[in-house]
Amino acid sequence: VDLQRAQAEYASVRDIVPLVFQAMPTEPAGASLLMEVEVAAVKNQIIIISLQMQPVTLLGGGASQKEAPEKISFTVTAGGSLGQLESFLASLTKLRRVIVVREANFSEGTPFLKKEGVAVTVGIEGEAYFIPEGGKKNRAG
């Protein structure tokens, strides 16, 4: 009876399990995060001026072990119209990956950028989360 109940419950969530692992992967998955940000930029027809991610340890690990999601920080500077940048910012908060936008600063484009058609820029500081395998601090990704 318990096995049948477990199978029925699994069947009801089977389709969303892959989405859960995309939202909170077991490794930093920085390349896929950067690609998602770039795709959001293309969809919103903005220009990425800079895109950086904090260094991530790929092999080995830290000395401390703790139970908690880990995060990687990233910064994006993008340019376009105010409306395009607002849409881009909104699309970042709707990625399949769990991210938090910590800060977004809008400013007028520099004279050089204005010549390139960039009226406004936004500097974004964000964090993307992941849960190392087993819930422990294990930077094997």
Side-chain angles (χ1 to χ4, degrees):
V1 174
D2 287 335
L3 181 57
Q4 289 174 339
R5 190 168 122 213
Q7 287 175 328
E9 287 182 25
Y10 175 73
S12 70
V13 298
R14 175 182 27 219
D15 293 339
I16 64 166
V17 170
L19 297 177
V20 172
F21 288 115
Q22 280 182 333
M24 198 67 97
T26 58
E27 55 190 37
S32 64
L33 171 66
L34 295 179
M35 185 173 63
E36 284 189 73
V37 171
E38 290 174 353
V39 167
V42 169
K43 286 183 178 179
N44 289 285
Q45 299 177 334
I46 63 160
I47 297 169
I48 291 183
I49 298 166
S50 71
L51 178 55
Q52 297 177 329
M53 185 174 49
Q54 80 175 34
V56 177
T57 303
L58 298 177
L59 298 173
S64 72
Q65 300 284 317
K66 67 178 186 175
E67 301 254 353
E70 298 256 358
K71 64 185 176 189
I72 51 175
S73 299
F74 64 93
T75 59
V76 180
T77 303
S81 71
L82 183 58
Q84 289 169 318
L85 294 175
E86 287 173 338
S87 294
F88 172 66
L89 191 56
S91 66
L92 287 182
T93 64
K94 296 175 185 170
L95 296 178
R96 287 191 172 181
R97 176 82 178 261
V98 174
I99 70 161
V100 172
V101 173
R102 293 283 175 207
E103 190 172 315
N105 295 305
F106 290 87
S107 60
E108 187 175 359
T110 64
F112 174 76
L113 289 173
K114 285 183 179 179
K115 286 180 185 177
E116 299 297 317
V118 174
V120 181
T121 62
V122 64
I124 299 168
E125 293 182 21
E127 297 169 342
Y129 293 87
F130 64 99
I131 299 178
E133 195 133 353
K136 294 283 184 186
K137 194 173 195 175
N138 175 10
R139 298 173 196 233

